[in-house]
Amino acid sequence: MFTLHNPLDMHLHLREGEMLAKVLPFSARAFSAAVVMPNLQEPINTTARALDYARQIQAQSTEFMPLVALYLQESLSPQELENARRNGLFLIKLYPQNVTTNSTQGVADILSPKILEILRAAQDLDFILCVHAETQDFVLDREVGFHPILESLCARFPQLPIILEHMSDARSIPLLEKYPNLYATLTLHHITWHLDALLGARLNPHLFCKPLLKTPKDQEALLQLALSAHPKVCFGSDSAPHSLAHKHACACAAGIFSAPLLLEALTTLFDIHHALDRLQAFVSDNARRIYQLDRRVQLPKKSLTLSKHPPTIPTIPDLIIPPFAVEWRIDA
Ligand code: NCD
Ligand code: ZN
């Protein structure tokens, strides 16, 4: 038996409409709260839209708190940021243009005066900046290619907490030591698999995601970071559902759907590596500290007991969950 208190998923895609209704229960059952990504077809780029989206989510799941991030665009004025803070929003998401799903309206020139002005206001207003840290370099070098921009942001805005989301490359780890205001989220898939799982035997579209899975060395280094619950990292699943039809229509849309088995698979992984004593920090305590959640929100209380029995793997029409190892199930 093993108990987790207030699990938090600090990077989650819930989509909208029918897809939202279909995937939300899986996160709401296991997590107290989640950072909800704003890359809907029409980006969540105003306070009004973010509040409306949060209301839609809460109308369906009352014991689950959505922490909706605002999609950074040049139109996000300092006045709108003030409005957002007054309404309890505190996360901004930076998508460089065209690097991932629904990022065509992302930022083309990140270090432009306009964007820097917005980020300075964000720092003054006590926001946290979540970053999709990729360029359009050679696919295995996209995160490292983004380092100069990331370092520039960390140095310019030392009071702005910056989150390198879904860290995928071991070469990013030293930046956590270099910049006091830089943190990272880690997904289950990047600490579980490397490129062989995606394309070693047969191409598996359900393991295709941005940033791409990388080398065995990257996976191992990221896994060790998670297993040690490094104080500057926390869990963010990046569960990103795409219907089978959409996966096919888009010649494999990027995104791995992991929400239904996250805690079961994380517990299994930490158990195999004799690190269960670090899991509470990795899936909750670190995030509470890094995002200073206790002074910002009142998290719904949730304690989950897991036991070592194979769970029933849900089948969900039109969605595929990749084959995570799961030897633990949630009992209550
Ligand atoms: C995400 C999505 O589908 O929205 N896709 C992905 O591969 N991770 C977007 C993202 O987080 O990059
Ligand atoms: Zn994502």
Side-chain angles (χ1 to χ4, degrees), residues 11 13 37 93 95 132 166 210 238 240:
H11 182 132
H13 299 271
M37 289 297 128
K93 175 73 189 236
Y95 287 102
H132 186 112
H166 38 51
K210 301 294 178 78
D238 197 13

Side-chain angles (χ1 to χ4, degrees), residues 68-180:
V68 178
L70 280 171
Y71 194 112
L72 177 59
Q73 292 178 319
E74 289 203 354
S75 55
L76 195 63
S77 65
Q79 294 72 29
E80 182 61 3
L81 285 181
E82 272 178 42
N83 183 22
R85 282 300 286 127
R86 271 198 303 275
N87 283 280
L89 304 173
F90 61 92
L91 295 160
I92 295 179
K93 175 73 189 236
L94 163 60
Y95 287 102
Q97 194 169 57
N98 294 332
V99 297
T100 189
T101 304
N102 292 344
S103 64
T104 51
Q105 297 191 55
V107 180
D109 184 3
I110 296 166
L111 299 179
S112 69
K114 185 86 199 160
I115 294 295
L116 293 178
E117 184 199 343
I118 297 170
L119 293 179
R120 181 159 307 281
Q123 172 177 257
D124 295 345
L125 288 163
D126 190 28
F127 274 91
I128 294 171
L129 178 66
C130 304
V131 183
H132 186 112
E134 286 200 291
T135 57
Q136 295 186 33
D137 290 315
F138 167 63
V139 71
L140 293 181
D141 290 333
R142 287 182 180 184
E143 193 169 291
V144 167
F146 195 84
H147 283 181
I149 296 176
L150 192 64
E151 294 205 48
S152 173
L153 296 177
C154 287
R156 277 171 204 262
F157 305 113
Q159 305 308 322
L160 178 67
I162 298 180
I163 319 283
L164 195 177
E165 306 240 273
H166 38 51
M167 185 189 269
S168 68
D169 192 313
R171 292 171 290 177
S172 297
I173 297 173
L175 295 186
L176 293 175
E177 309 298 337
K178 188 169 175 188
Y179 295 99

Side-chain angles (χ1 to χ4, degrees), residues 292-307:
Q292 300 176 21
L293 292 180
D294 292 342
R295 77 169 168 84
R296 294 181 188 273
V297 290
Q298 192 156 14
L299 292 173
K301 291 206 186 336
K302 195 168 280 176
S303 291
L304 298 171
T305 301
L306 293 105
S307 61

